[in-house]
Amino acid sequence: MKLYLAIAVLVLAFVAYTEAQEVTMEERFNNLGQQMSEFGKTVAEKAKTALDGLNNNENVQKAKSWFQEQFQKMQEHFN
């Protein structure tokens, strides 16, 4: 009988210990919010870097100039 009582006390102590270390739902939501905002910032930085790289690309600049020239020609033609 003493063995059963000792095992029950140890199980209760173990449960109390694991519950004390468990993260609450509120903490999980806070962590999720922080992770999502960090993810958003990272994605935004990478997108900005990629777009800056595209804008500085020589082929993109040539294509942009070509389209501007064609648009100017069309405007002159219709005026």
Side-chain angles (χ1 to χ4, degrees):
M1 174 104 169
K2 290 181 184 181
L3 180 61
Y4 292 120
L5 184 59
I7 291 174
V9 170
L10 287 175
V11 168
L12 288 174
F14 179 72
V15 168
Y17 176 74
T18 56
E19 285 181 1
Q21 290 184 351
E22 200 171 291
V23 179
T24 65
M25 287 300 269
E26 182 180 358
E27 291 171 341
R28 287 182 184 174
F29 281 122
N30 287 337
N31 289 340
L32 179 65
Q34 290 172 353
Q35 289 173 348
M36 293 301 284
S37 87
E38 289 174 15
F39 174 74
K41 288 177 185 177
T42 303
V43 169
E45 289 173 5
K46 288 182 180 180
K48 185 177 187 293
T49 303
L51 288 174
D52 287 342
L54 277 175
N55 285 334
N56 296 332
N57 187 329
E58 181 181 345
N59 292 331
V60 171
Q61 291 296 328
K62 288 180 182 178
K64 182 178 177 183
S65 297
W66 183 83
F67 278 113
Q68 287 175 340
E69 290 172 9
Q70 298 306 315
F71 185 72
Q72 287 294 332
K73 288 179 184 177
M74 285 177 49
Q75 280 184 333
E76 290 171 5
H77 179 70
F78 287 114
N79 286 335

